[in-house]
Amino acid sequence: MTATMRSLSRGTVARYATGSIGTGGFATLPGLVLVFYLTDTLGVGALAAGAVITAAKVWDVLIDPVIGRASDRALAARGSRRGLMVIGALALPVFFVATFAVPAGLPPAASALWVFVAFLATATAFSLFQVPYIALPAEIGRGYDDRTRLLTWRVVVLSVAILAFGAGGPMLRDLGGDEYGGYLTMGLVAGVVIAAGLLVASTTAPRGVVVPPDADTPRVRDAYRAGIAALRRSQSFRALLGAFLLQGLATGLMLAGANYVAVWVLKDDAALTFLFVALIGPAILGAPVWGVIARRIGKERAFVIASALFAVACLLLVGLLWSPGGWVYAPVALAGVAYAGMQSLPMAMLPDVIAVDAAENGDGQAGIFGGVWTAGETTGMALGATLLTIVLAVTGYTASVAGEVSVQSSEAVTGIALAFSLIPALLVVTSIAVMNRYRLRRADIEGADAAPVGVGGADDA
């Protein structure tokens, strides 16, 4: 019996969703504070800060398909993906703390190198967990609606985690005394909580899974080739990944820019917490609603509607250029409602794509799909932070070390506002155009789930 026939219990849904405490924390805190930490505490220039984060993420993108291959090999050899997940969960907090443990007084160049090495190790540990974690819904979910349910509740927990880390992280930083001690305290507490969430989720990886003897688990040198092959043969995978990557770029840009918006546009450090409450509160309530909508009109249509709603909200935020103020929380809340759908629906569609591919081409490729997906997601989020640093550099943003008082030009403040509004809107509109090439519908998925492996299913290439 394969894993796709296992019963999807409430306990499995809950434990799988708990992993989003860790994934949400890791996605939120570095995305929110790492660029700001580099430019406004360590004195690293904007472009150099972007180069540090981008270089670390490029490594992450390169390693993800290899980890996907290793995950598939582990499944074939030992009947479970759990081992890599546990290793990643245990290693991550050590390197996460190190990322925010730069000693005071270190020159900016040395500080940048420290953060690069530590963050690269942290991202690698996270990928050891994340790649197999992404592959699990195709194995533990029994069908179209079960996968929607599994990923809907994951996004509910993800939204709570983003709120907790997004609001609580800066609060811990501020309670830690000086800026260096504050970031270290934040990194220590967050690292432990992230690890706990990842370890709980690793228990959902099935044991004793029987993989067909002809399942393709490529060698290391073929891992990239297998990922490219998955992209080439599945048009729907290309469309879904392309849309998700562009949206990751948009949300990564906004996440990295939120601290700058609070400090330099709204001129209120506390506004960062309120921005996150306004965004994530509606997202927590919205995720189950998007699940209901998806069951009625299809995931792909619901995803497009959520994306369009997010783009509208971003366009409304352009008003920050002329009148920054408390009104900003209303469009941010609208974006939060949309964000819930933009997260839960594509992640629920990915296992559908994997199921169709398994029906057509044989089982054993979920890890490859998960590796390519994680690489794409990582690329989007990383380049979002990079794009922000480019905007900051072009508009003349001035970096500073802890304790210095800096003044920003009107051009720099305008750049921050546009990076939080117009640019994300354009990226999301582009993602909707890409998503129009997604061809799978409910009937295709249900046919693939019912078909013997390697037989039937919709032709998606």
Side-chain angles (χ1 to χ4, degrees), residues 309-376:
L309 191 63
F310 190 89
V312 170
C314 289
L315 287 174
L316 292 174
L317 289 170
V318 175
L320 285 169
L321 290 172
W322 303 284
S323 180
W327 64 267
V328 71
Y329 301 117
V332 168
L334 180 64
V337 173
Y339 178 76
M342 289 166 56
Q343 284 292 298
S344 62
L345 296 169
M347 288 191 292
M349 293 158 73
L350 175 62
D352 293 338
V353 172
I354 295 173
V356 170
D357 183 78
E360 295 176 349
N361 301 293
D363 215 342
Q365 291 284 307
I368 291 295
F369 277 90
V372 175
W373 181 268
T374 303

Side-chain angles (χ1 to χ4, degrees), residues 49-71:
V52 166
I53 295 173
T54 302
K57 289 298 186 179
V58 165
W59 165 253
D60 201 20
V61 170
L62 292 174
I63 199 69
D64 283 343
V66 177
I67 293 174
R69 171 262 177 192
S71 177

